[in-house]
Structures are given as structure tokens and as C-alpha cells.
Amino acid sequence: MSVAEKKTRIIEPDTLIGKRIRKMDAPEKASGKTRYIHDINLSGQLHGKILRSERIHALIKSIDVSAARALSGVHVVITAVDVPDQRPIGVARDHFPLKVGRVRSERDEIAAVAAETEEIAEAALKLIKVVYEDLPVISNPEDAIKPGAALIHPEPHGADGSHEHLKQGTTIAHKGKPDNVAMTFDYAHGDVVQGEAESDVVIEDTFRLHYVTHCCMGVSGMIAEFDASGNLLMYSNTQVPFLHKREFAEYLNIDPARIRIIQPPIGGGFGSKLDIYPFEVICLYLARTAKRPVKMLFTREEEFLASPTRQPVLLTLRSGCKKDGTLTFRQVHTLHDNGAYTSWGATTPFVMMQTFSSLYRVPNCDYHTAAVYTNNPYAGSFRGYGNLQATFAIEQHMDMLAEKIGMDPLEFRMKNAQDAGEITGQGMSFKSCGFKDCLTTAAQRSDYSRKVQENKANRDKPGNIKRGIGMASMLHVGGGAKIYPSDGCGTILKMDDFANVTLITGASEIGQGSETVLSQLVCEELGLPISAITVVNNDTAITPWDVGVHASRTTFIAGNSAIGAAKKAKAKILAVAAKKFECAESDLDLRGGFVIKAASGEVVIELSKLLRNLHFQDKAELVMTTFYYEPPSVHQDKGFKGDVSAAYAWGTQVVEVEVDTDTGRVRMTRVTGAHDVGRVLNRLGIEGQIEGGVVMGQGYALTEELLIENGVMQNPNFRDYKLVTAPEIPEMDIAFIESMDGEGPQGAKGVGEAPAICVAAATANAICNATGVRMFELPFTPEKVYRALHGQTPKRYWTPWKAE
Amino acid sequence: MSELKHYFAPTNLDQAVECLKDGDVTILAGGTDLTPQSQAGRVKIKQTLMNIRHVSELAGITLEGDEIRIGALTTITEIMNNALVKQHLPVLVEACDQFASDQIRNAATIGGNICNASPAGDTLIPLLVLDASVELASMPEAELYRHSMPLSTFFIGPGKTRRSLCELVTCVRIPLPPENHVARFHKLGTRPALDISKISIGIAGTLKEGILSNVRVAFGAVAPTPVRAPRTEKALEGQRLDEATIAKVANVAKDEVKPIDDVRASAWYRKEMIHNITRRLLSHVAQT
């Protein structure tokens, strides 16, 4: 290439945004080379195992660990007595990792062993003798709130001696609770009495939502190691490394600065790793006592028994509207089965009330939740965080109200749908809102309005296969959620002498594709190919603060943070170039690995060369930047009001089914989705995320259920806990509504949770469209549907109840 | 921890059967049930684990006179792909096609499915309506001894059969179906793959000029073992498959079974499904 040609080289504009970019971790995962926590082994490591309760609710009269301790190869056996400094854990600090004096659920941890092999540890567990005294089991939240119900967390009595070795504190774990109510949430805007008075139609129904669990392919596990100075190194699958670091320090009573968390690649999170669970703290105790690294991995059965579930909910909804289709009010009472202890499941009302108050324009809304203790498994956070439950009730009522006033269900929704610019009764401000586009797009692409009528007309024709179509929509936070004082994320960015970038981000990768999206955003700013970037995101000693993977926040929050750091790097580079080439910074840009003239695309200098010039000079400098992004959202006030997210995501899904009236089997044939995602960043990634979410929603709707009888899980295995398998996955048509959010990174919003939310609600509406039978309880398994079709399902009514 | 002390992989039937003499042996074929069952602690591996996969006599599908012999080690995939089975026993292919998943079918054997004796075993229902018999080998003295029994008498309870601890199932034998033979199978689960039946039904017989004779009906997952249904068979025998007959027989079938409630289905639903699916299968047969 001649000098003349080189000078006139033009770099055409190009973009990475909206392209189909392969996930950066895909080759390793597809070839089986990813090293999960299961594949990590430290020299000198012991294996930890936990003895769980044989009873559901009982006093522990005695524990004899002598035979276990005597077994060759066993290093440590601990019970609560051996850890006098145990502190209560959990969202409400209502339980000890190793249970003290009493067990309250099937999963309860009684003792733990660290041994040279897993087999020895298992054998040692079998040698531990526990004497119990059974207590009455409360397996139904309705029983838990009856006057005189047995208490799950009674005040400790001196007679059983169980708390004697613990300092009196103020937590539930220490002082107990005079009733079984774990948490309450009460929200209101407007006046529901007035709203009801203005209504032409009022309906009230009880909905029941069941137990499901995350089923991460990678089971829970961790490795803990204390060094000679007492510093703790944890290999952990947590979704929340920074907050958990602080919490673990509290449980160990050490300075948080002495804890370092490394996250190996995580085999699925979906919210399940958002809380600290007893096994993690117990693993720390074992490592501390053994003075050896201890690795603890769940078996699949343990994963079912001892990981959190989605929040089961009993919900009575009263809704009204006018004849012209205007919604007038909504009144909601829910009873959350908290299980034996409080984890994030109890706080799902934060999200549920948003859906009730703000998915549609409702002038009057009244919402109450009581989360009550039972002896069941305890619920945690799970993709959608209460929104699947709320949407299930609301969207069925939308169809039912439309039917009552004889209005087309799509038209009814359009009439009440939110628009950009609205501020809801709960104080959510919709700066961008593609809801109506979602409704019309999903309806058009699925031919919804024609099929609704056609299916209805065909309902009574002969044949055992009935076709149905149903619609549901959702609102979810899409710009983070300020549930902590901070919702921020930090970025450190450095460039090397060859114009390669290292992006050090606080945001964790749990398989959702954040590494790839963040890399795209940085490379877009710096005009570099995606191959020029390395992401470091899994070590609290290196990465800057972040509040964790939750609330669909990573693309939005970490994305804005990464862009901020990249912009600072770009500004520095352009300043250096402008000085060197004696022009204005605004005349220059970065593109294709070059500094170019912004107007013409003409190459000014190769970026790597410029960086080397900068580095190897008298006043040497490197390009290294940091940025911290805190979204402009606010913490809710005491009445749960406030603009909690910087942006909101919208979506409509239309589900089509075939119901076999001979068997009750529901085949999901097609899902048409339209999602307001702000803007598509990685088209391949977002398609995968939406499709995966739809399938998760399908399992929730049709096949998945943890069967709990008297506190005992009946199906802790993949044989009887039925995930959706490949042949059942419906045809999908997913459209993206690009509302270009002003605050979003390149206009994008978070959509991680969105796709799972509508499926069950839309399926309920589709089954009703096909058969004329409305179902209020999930899941729609063949037997449940068959029973409903044959009038064998008594309609449940739960009388609204509010904790004092 | 198991009591496992010895691993033995015989290469011929004599060695295998001789090993069984002392009785304290766990037999490994495909391992698709044994592995999860033993890991879950429901099955204890005995002192000797005998892997019979190298005993060639136990493999293969052959036509022997007027019988098809399927060796105990034949995998579900091999059965599905076998020309003889496809031609003469399509109902068995149908059942194999609904058996677990591809990966499991590649390893699971028909002998294992039979000896596992699950009331919901997928191949057992078609084998029952095809009048299959099992052949057992043992070595009471120094000589190999073989005997056969009808599959319909083989099962005595969930996981329990008439096979004694010193016997090995070598093959199943299925008489070649006569002319005008029809057979249908239906498995009902929550999902189409990787599922255990809530109920399953097999119906077979000779259909001539609209009349069904030589009727065989078998039900899965409604009793402690897969069962033949003599009352339903009797109600069908020699009947013309018109709508009235089908309705009547479906009711007989529903009354004949005494299922239980369990984690997969209630007794009520099982009876309803026996009725509805029997009706559906008979309508299909009538349309043949």
C-alpha cells in the first residue's frame, strides 16, 4: 500500500448494536471446558455434608455425634452447640444456620461433617443420632393464621433450654414471634369504596399459585478457605458478591475487608442465589474449625429440598369497571406461604403491588399481603419476583371484565393501557412506554381477535381437541430497582499498547449474557471489534462495587457504567489525538481500531499506535478510566410509593393451545410475544433470553410443581418434577418494540425477567377461550384440567384477611 | 456405601448363570434404572456386581420358527430400528418410541425393563398383548437349565417377579402375529418424553370383517403389576366394533381397574383415562 493510498483510507461507519453476537462464554460451555465450582478442587480440601431433619416440626431433644466423630477420615463434626457464636441469618434474621433446639421444616440443618471424601462424610451423617419430640405440623398458611394456631417461632422457654447458650438479642431467631405473621405489606392509592360505587361491573375471585423451583443445571455449592492470617477466600455461586461479603463478615464477626469472593462460572441463577443460605455459613464454620479448605456441593435431591422456591400465593382479587370499559378499582388480598423462615419470597409484594397499581390505569387500588410462617419449604426470589403470580390474577380478570361488558378483550386492554409520560398512583413515571405497541403487535402477528371469535364458535363442535388463544401483558422494572440505598455499579477500564481493552465490572455473569452485552457497549464507544476486549467480573478483590444480579438490572445499570468508563477513555484518546494532529476533538472519532476524521471517516492514525505514542514518551501515560453509575431512581417511601426504577419494561404475549378434552392435556402450540426492550443490543442474546423465559413460564403454567404434603416434598427429582422437554416447546414469534429509552444504555432496558411473566396468565385465558372453563389454580396439568372440564374442581374462595 | 466387593463381567451364559448360584449378585445390563435407584438408596448393590453386557448370547433379534426372539440385552433403540420388529410387531415399536429419551433408549435393555417389573414399564404392556413369554436360565447342578413362562404370570408386585435370585432372563419370545392382527398402544403422561405413565393401555386381537377376536387387553400403572384385563377382553371378544360396543367396553374397562392415588395421578383420573383411552384406541381399531 502506498503512502498516498494509506492517507486516504476511509473507514465506513459500522455498529455492533442490534447485531447477532455470539455469547463470549459459548465456545467453552458448548465444548464442556467451562470450569464450574464442581471442577475446582483445592489442595488439602475436605468435603462437607449436612445432616437435615428427619422431622418436619419437632424439638431436638438430643444429638449424639460421637460415632460420627470417631469415624476414620472425619475431621470435623459440628452442631449448634459447637458454634456458640452463630448469628441468625436470612432476610428477617429468623433462623440459625445450624438449628437450635427445634426444627421447623424438612430441610432444616442439624449437624455438619467435613471429611476426606464425600463418601466418608455421607457415612458419618448416618452415624449421628438425633432424638426428636414431634410438634404439630402447619402445612397450610390458612391454618397458620387461625386463632390458637401452633406457633412456628414461639418465644423460647427456659424449660427446653434451647437458647440458653445464646446471647439474648432482638431478632426473631432469639426472641421468637407471638404469631405466625412474618411480614405484612399494605398499599393504597385512591379510594376503592368510591371506585366500587362508580363501577357497573364488579367481580371477585380467588387465585392459587403453587410451588415451583429454579432447577439450575449447576447445583448449589461453595468452597471456603481461611488463610494463615484468618482471611477468608470463598468460591461461591452467589448473585450478590458485594452485599454478601458484608453479610458473611457479620455472620463470622470479622472485618468484611478480610473476605474475598471469587465466582466461578455459575450454572444458572434465576434469583435462587440472591440470599445467603444455611449451607454457605455452615461451610464457613467447617472450614474455620477444620483449618482446611472445605467444599460443599448439593446433590440434585438436596437442591430440590434445600434451595428456595417461587413464592406460593393465595390471592383474592376484586376488580371493577364501567360499561364503557374504564377500570374503576382493584382490591387485592394475598396470603403468602412464607415457609419456616423468611427469605426474599416474602418481599415479592414490592413487585406484585406495582403490577396491580400500575400495569393498567387504575384510579383506585388497595393491596394487602400477609406472609405467614408454616412448616413448608421457604420461598426465595425467582425470575419475575411475584409478577407471575400478580399477572396471573390481573390478566384473567381483564378477560373476565371484558366479557362481562361485552367488549373485545384487546380493545378493553388498549383502553386502559399506560402511555409514555404517565405517572401512576404508585409514583412510577413512564418516560418511555411501548405498551400499546406491544398489545397491537402481538395481537396482529397472532391474528388474535379473529381467532378468539373463531375458537369460541368452534367450542361445541364435535372432536376432543379444542383450540384456544389467550393474551396477557406485563410491566416490570427495566432500569434497575432501588431496593437498597444504592442501585449502582462500578467499572474500571484499561487499554493496553495494542488497543485491547480490559473491562473490569462489578456485574456478575450468571449465564444471562452480560459479559457480551457490556463488551458490545464498550467496543461500540471505542470503535473496536468485540475480539479486542477481555472481561473481568468475578473477584471482589478486583472488581468495583455492584449490588448484584437481580431486578433485570445488569444491562441497564452495568451497561451505563461501562459506557461511562468507555466515554472517559474515548475523551482522553481524542484529546491526545487532537493535540497531536492539531485539530478539534470534535473533528475526530474512533472507528474500526483507528482514530478517524468524524466527517469523512478518513484514517488519522491507528489507535494502537497512538496509545503506544502516549505510553512511550517523556510524560508517559496510560488510558485507564473508572466510572460509577447510579440510576436516577428513588427509594420508595413508607407507603411503597416512588419512582423505583429508571425505566420500565413492557410486554404482551399471546399463547395458543390445544386442549384434549379426553385427557385434559394442554399442548402449547404457539407463543407470539411483543416486548418493549428499549432497544435490542445483542439480537442473538435477547432472542435466547426471551425464548428461555417463555419456556420457564410454560413449565410454571403446565407441568412444574413441587408437591408438598404435610411439609414433606413428594417429588425432589427430575422424574416427578416435570420440566418442559424439547418436543413440548411451542413455536415462537417474538417481536421487539424499540422505545429507545432516554436513560437506557444505547436506549435499552432490562428484560431478564420479562419473558417468563405472562405465559401462565395467557395460558389460562387460552384454555378458557378453548373450553369455556376458567381455571384459577396452577399448574394446568392434565388431571387438573380434566377435573375442571368435568366440573370436579370446587371453586375456591379465600375470605380476604389482613394482619392486625 | 454399598457392600460391593466383586465385579464380574462374564463372556458367556454359562459363566453368568454360574455366578448367580450363590444368589448375592446384582445384575447390571443397561444400568439406566440400577444407577439412579442405587444412588438414591432404593436398591442396594449386593456383594457381586455382574455386568452381563459381554454375554453375546443375550443379544440380538432373530426369527426362530414362528416366534421372534428378542435377547434380554437388546436395547430399546435396537428394537425400534429392527426390521423384523417393525414388520411384525409395530405395537412394540410404538411403545419404544415413547420410552424415556433417546439417550436412555440407547442404553436401556428389554431384559432390564422386564426384570425391573415396574407397573408402568413401557414395553411390558405391548409384550403382554403380544402373548410374550420370558426365558430364564439357571444352573441348578452343573448343567445349564432353561425354562419359559408366559409374561402374564411373571410379575408379582412392583419390582417383584417370579425370577429366582439364581436365574437370568435370557430373552423374550413373541409368537408371530396371525393374519389380520391389530394392536394398539397408548401411554398417557404429563409430557410426551421422559415421563412415567399415569396409565398405559395395549389392545390386540384379530380383526376380521369388523369382528374382533382373540382379544388381548393390558393396562399399565393401575395395579401393582402390569395386568391383563380379562373382563374387558371378554366384553370385546367376538364383538363388532360399533359405537355402542365401544362405549360398553370402555365402561367395563373402567370398572375393571382398581388403581391407587399417587404422585402422578389420582385413582379417579386413572379410571377416567382408562375409559377414555380405551374408547379412543377401540375407535382407532374400528377404523383400521
Side-chain angles (χ1 to χ4, degrees), chain A residues 660 663 722-723 783 786, chain B residues 191 195 266 269 272 276 280:
Chain A
D660 182 343
T663 62
K722 296 188 194 298
L723 287 174
E783 177 161 355
Y786 186 82
Chain B
R191 56 186 181 200
D195 212 346
S266 71
Y269 181 69
E272 289 286 307
N276 293 355
R280 185 184 287 185

Side-chain angles (χ1 to χ4, degrees), chain B:
Chain B
M1 278 180 275
S2 77
E3 296 168 1
L4 178 59
K5 286 195 177 134
H6 312 287
Y7 171 79
F8 180 50
T11 51
N12 64 52
L13 188 57
D14 279 36
Q15 289 172 353
V17 175
E18 190 170 5
C19 173
L20 286 175
K21 268 183 165 179
D22 73 355
D24 203 19
V25 179
T26 296
I27 300 167
L28 169 70
T32 56
D33 257 300
L34 184 62
T35 309
Q37 298 270 15
S38 60
Q39 280 180 358
R42 285 187 291 271
V43 167
K44 208 166 180 181
I45 307 268
K46 295 175 184 167
Q47 284 222 352
T48 302
L49 180 68
M50 176 167 71
N51 176 0
I52 56 171
R53 298 216 69 143
H54 304 287
V55 181
S56 54
E57 203 190 323
L58 299 176
I61 302 173
T62 46
L63 185 61
E64 294 185 354
D66 55 1
E67 285 181 336
I68 292 176
R69 176 194 184 274
I70 304 179
L73 271 183
T74 313
T75 65
I76 305 303
T77 302
E78 285 165 352
I79 293 172
M80 281 173 74
N81 296 333
N82 182 273
L84 272 176
V85 177
K86 280 193 213 171
Q87 187 192 340
H88 298 288
L89 313 171
V91 70
L92 187 56
V93 177
E94 217 178 314
C96 291
D97 196 30
Q98 296 178 53
F99 190 107
S101 65
D102 282 335
Q103 294 92 325
I104 294 174
R105 286 178 217 158
N106 287 341
T109 66
I110 192 157
N113 203 227
I114 291 170
C115 292
N116 202 40
S118 161
D122 287 323
T123 67
L124 310 182
I125 298 302
L127 289 175
L128 280 174
V129 299
L130 291 169
D131 283 337
S133 57
V134 276
E135 185 187 273
L136 297 137
S138 59
M139 200 174 277
E141 304 296 335
E143 291 292 306
L144 193 69
Y145 168 73
R146 296 172 200 254
H147 74 111
S148 285
M149 68 171 81
L151 191 69
S152 55
T153 63
F154 185 65
F155 304 111
I156 51 179
K160 294 200 176 89
T161 68
R162 292 199 194 284
R163 181 183 75 86
S164 79
L165 289 178
C166 52
E167 287 177 317
L168 188 68
V169 167
T170 55
C171 68
V172 275
R173 292 176 190 277
I174 301 156
L176 275 182
E179 225 181 311
N180 300 319
H181 185 257
V182 291
R184 287 285 187 282
F185 173 77
H186 190 94
K187 171 181 174 178
L188 185 77
T190 299
R191 56 186 181 200
L194 269 172
D195 212 346
I196 310 230
S197 307
K198 295 176 191 295
I199 59 131
S200 57
I201 304 185
I203 296 178
T206 307
L207 186 67
K208 219 170 167 183
E209 287 153 14
I211 309 281
L212 196 64
S213 60
N214 225 350
V215 179
R216 300 283 183 275
V217 177
F219 297 134
V222 295
T225 68
V227 288
R228 284 271 296 272
R231 278 166 56 199
T232 309
E233 290 177 356
K234 203 177 154 202
L236 263 175
E237 187 64 40
Q239 298 295 313
R240 178 171 298 278
L241 289 179
D242 53 30
E243 241 176 79
T245 306
I246 291 174
K248 193 186 115 207
V249 171
N251 278 323
V252 173
K254 180 180 170 180
D255 291 341
E256 184 166 18
V257 294
K258 301 269 179 293
I260 55 161
D261 293 326
D262 69 13
V263 75
R264 288 176 202 113
S266 71
W268 176 82
Y269 181 69
R270 287 192 158 110
K271 283 174 88 82
E272 289 286 307
M273 290 306 103
I274 289 287
H275 175 274
N276 293 355
I277 304 295
T278 300
R279 189 182 60 195
R280 185 184 287 185
L281 284 187
L282 289 175
S283 303
H284 289 173
V285 173
Q287 284 156 24
T288 308

Side-chain angles (χ1 to χ4, degrees), chain A residues 102-132:
Chain A
R102 179 190 283 256
V103 288
R104 298 174 178 85
S105 70
E106 189 182 19
R107 57 164 295 164
D108 275 20
E109 299 78 6
I110 289 179
V113 173
E116 273 162 25
T117 66
E118 281 186 76
E119 289 76 15
I120 295 172
E122 282 285 356
L125 293 186
K126 295 202 174 92
L127 297 173
I128 298 173
K129 291 186 189 72
V130 185
V131 178
Y132 302 90

Side-chain angles (χ1 to χ4, degrees), chain A residues 388-653:
Chain A
L388 286 76
Q389 295 92 319
T391 303
F392 183 72
I394 286 183
E395 284 290 349
Q396 289 207 64
H397 261 197
M398 290 304 281
D399 262 24
M400 293 164 78
L401 287 170
E403 172 116 37
K404 287 255 182 201
I405 58 168
M407 192 180 251
D408 175 82
L410 174 63
E411 192 191 333
F412 181 55
R413 287 176 169 87
M414 285 295 283
K415 190 173 170 68
N416 292 288
Q418 302 281 7
D419 274 315
E422 297 199 44
I423 298 175
T424 76
Q426 209 182 338
M428 299 156 82
S429 168
F430 300 136
K431 288 160 278 278
S432 67
C433 174
F435 187 12
K436 286 182 175 169
D437 281 345
C438 290
L439 278 165
T440 51
T441 305
Q444 274 165 15
R445 290 174 81 122
S446 61
D447 202 1
Y448 171 80
S449 293
R450 183 185 67 78
K451 285 180 185 166
V452 165
Q453 296 309 325
E454 186 180 284
N455 293 334
K456 249 191 213 169
N458 288 339
R459 224 182 253 167
D460 298 322
K461 290 193 178 157
N464 58 303
I465 301 293
K466 308 290 179 198
R467 291 203 168 79
I469 188 165
M471 165 184 282
S473 298
M474 72 98 217
L475 151 70
H476 205 76
V477 293
K482 200 154 281 181
I483 54 170
Y484 305 108
S486 158
D487 190 23
C489 176
T491 301
I492 301 169
L493 188 149
K494 72 181 180 83
M495 300 195 72
D496 72 6
D497 299 339
F498 304 94
N500 294 309
V501 190
T502 301
L503 168 69
I504 304 169
T505 174
S508 304
E509 171 73 37
I510 60 168
Q512 82 277 43
S514 68
E515 282 171 356
T516 315
V517 158
L518 298 179
S519 296
Q520 263 181 285
L521 292 170
V522 167
C523 291
E524 182 76 6
E525 288 301 325
L526 298 176
L528 290 170
I530 203 100
S531 56
I533 197 164
T534 301
V535 181
V536 175
N537 58 358
N538 66 346
D539 186 341
T540 59
I542 298 168
T543 59
W545 164 268
D546 177 69
V547 301
V549 185
H550 65 92
S552 306
R553 68 186 284 280
T554 299
T555 292
F556 195 97
I557 307 288
N560 274 332
S561 179
I563 288 175
K567 280 192 165 149
K568 280 166 90 173
K570 181 175 178 177
K572 179 164 185 177
I573 292 163
L574 292 186
V576 170
K579 197 172 165 198
K580 187 177 172 78
F581 296 100
E582 296 176 341
C583 61
E585 285 164 37
S586 57
D587 292 342
L588 300 173
D589 203 351
L590 299 176
R591 194 182 286 170
F594 294 91
V595 178
I596 53 144
K597 288 185 179 165
S600 62
E602 195 179 316
V603 167
V604 176
I605 185 171
E606 208 175 332
L607 179 57
S608 60
K609 196 172 171 190
L610 180 75
L611 289 169
R612 286 193 293 274
N613 287 346
L614 180 66
H615 187 187
F616 300 109
Q617 59 169 343
D618 291 345
K619 290 182 177 172
E621 273 196 77
L622 294 175
V623 176
M624 294 188 293
T625 63
T626 65
F627 193 81
Y628 182 68
Y629 176 74
E630 182 68 49
S633 48
V634 298
H635 213 51
Q636 287 177 338
D637 64 18
K638 280 182 184 163
F640 303 107
K641 289 181 184 172
D643 196 19
V644 74
S645 182
Y648 297 89
W650 303 86
T652 300
Q653 288 176 350

